Amino acid sequence: MANNDAPLMLSISGLRGVVGDTITAEVAALYGAAFGSHLRSRIDRPRVVIARDSRPSGEAFLAAVAAGLASTGCDVIDLGVAMTPTVGVMVIHHRADGGMVCTASHNPIQWNGLKCLDGDGVAPPPAEAAEIVRRFRERDLLLAGPTAFGKITRDESGDPTHVERVVGLVDVQAIRAANLRVVVDSVNGAGCRPARMLLETLGVEFVHINGEPTGVFAHTPEPTQANLVDLCTAAAKGGFACGFAQDPDADRLAIVDESGRYIGEEYTLALAALRVLQREGAGMLATNLSTSRMIDGVAKKFPGSRVVRTAVGEANVVAALKPAHGLCGGEGNGGVIWPRVCWVRDSLSGMALVLELLATQKCSLSSLVKQLPRCAMVKRTLKLNAIGGMVALPPAFAKVRATFVGERLDETDGIRIDFAEGWVHLRASNTEPIIRLIAEGDDDRAANALADRVANAAGLP
Ligand code: MG
């Protein structure tokens, strides 16, 4: 029986559910068949790269996904346990027609999920994502005849191919010469092996905590300050240039400075963008409306650069970056998209860029952080059912619109109000039944004051 607190979440970001309750092998096979049917409706014999994060339910679910895809006539290339961005890399590498990842990203072990990538290794745009969900819901499948089933093959080259791609883009000699030492928390997720491979190749000495991909997460897996106590303690012992934390599918990266201070995921994108602009010169950057203004501060250091803001979601950021040949993009949750690697947020790109920054600037991480514009963000969540569900949102937005009529408003995704002293973004989550209220100001007090102002105007508790 479905649990009302833990529904099967179906959205443009894919599917997410509770293992053995709302997500089962049957659901995984059906979702694989729905995606396979979507591809088969346009391509004769699609090829699809699949992988999973390390959680124990993933092996069976990925086998079910492979079965669903093959039963609709797709050939399947199975990477086994791999990072989500590795699938993005391998879709391009194999010139495949799509990718599927079995992961619940930063959610705890009770959860699992599925998401799709298109033939460029990009999260599909909303209309296509909705079509996959429709086929899943309506069981509108194009099942193959007895001689047309797809083949399922294993490919062990995902990790080295991804690592080589990143290493090929950075100054390995400079990083090696800097004799950096770091501490890494891979949360026993899909990032364990490739993180080790990357650091070994770059000649970076490291201490690896939670470095076995067992999928039994040693702490709540979202790489937030509260969950990274062990990493901060380890980094604070001294002798490390910084600490890195990945989430279970290793698309997000959080950073700890040389004194063991958690600097916050917002800095990951700002530091990576800084390094990309240093290497490549002025250019276009893209990020979502909920991400810190720090990236605007970075862009200002390189005249001629610009920052494009999009709706929340990787697909939206990529949709802005790709046609404009953007240099770097991502999201404030520690998600760095370096288009020269792939179109998926990638913790390996983030690590390599930050290491190159440390190696070439020859200063500490904390001093690099000090050079970025100071900001503070507050992120609040509200359960949708506590305010009466989605129907309560349009009237709340209308009240905000009326109250802040003189300010700069952006309604691309929920509603964002830009004030001189900061901004507030109010929107419904794509992946959970919650409302997010995010505010940024010069310090915590200012950010909280802005958040309160908008929450009060919207009539939210
Ligand atoms: Mg993730």
Side-chain angles (χ1 to χ4, degrees), residues 105-106 247 249-252:
S105 193
H106 58 270
D247 77 328
D249 68 326
D251 57 349
R252 286 168 64 174

Side-chain angles (χ1 to χ4, degrees), residues 91-170:
V91 166
I92 299 167
H93 178 78
H94 285 297
R95 297 193 172 88
D97 302 293
M100 266 186 102
V101 196
C102 179
T103 177
S105 193
H106 58 270
N107 283 24
I109 195 168
Q110 298 89 320
W111 293 80
N112 213 331
L114 294 166
K115 53 186 181 188
C116 304
L117 298 177
D118 70 11
D120 291 326
V122 179
E128 242 180 271
E131 171 61 10
I132 298 161
V133 169
R134 183 198 65 76
R135 282 189 181 271
F136 170 80
R137 284 189 197 280
E138 297 174 11
R139 293 179 178 248
D140 180 7
L141 308 177
L142 300 173
L143 294 173
T147 57
F149 272 54
K151 286 196 166 48
I152 302 171
T153 49
R154 271 298 293 244
D155 178 3
E156 305 290 342
S157 71
D159 291 353
T161 305
H162 184 181
V163 169
E164 275 167 32
R165 206 169 166 110
V166 174
V167 168
L169 290 169
V170 293

Side-chain angles (χ1 to χ4, degrees), residues 274-275 278 355-364 368 371:
L274 172 63
R275 185 57 201 156
Q278 282 177 353
L355 290 168
E356 194 184 49
L357 190 63
L358 288 167
T360 53
Q361 304 301 292
K362 297 185 171 46
C363 64
S364 67
L368 285 168
Q371 291 164 35

Side-chain angles (χ1 to χ4, degrees), residues 293-351:
R293 280 178 173 181
M294 274 191 287
I295 192 167
D296 301 278
V298 167
K300 275 201 191 94
K301 292 174 193 264
F302 299 85
S305 295
R306 66 194 172 100
V307 178
V308 172
R309 294 276 173 175
T310 73
V312 173
E314 193 171 51
N316 299 313
V317 176
V318 172
L321 273 177
K322 217 165 161 228
H325 305 288
L327 296 183
C328 181
E331 301 191 282
N333 59 6
V336 175
I337 301 169
W338 195 7
R340 294 174 70 178
V341 175
C342 66
W343 295 109
V344 180
R345 293 171 302 196
D346 178 23
S347 61
L348 296 190
S349 295
M351 280 189 218

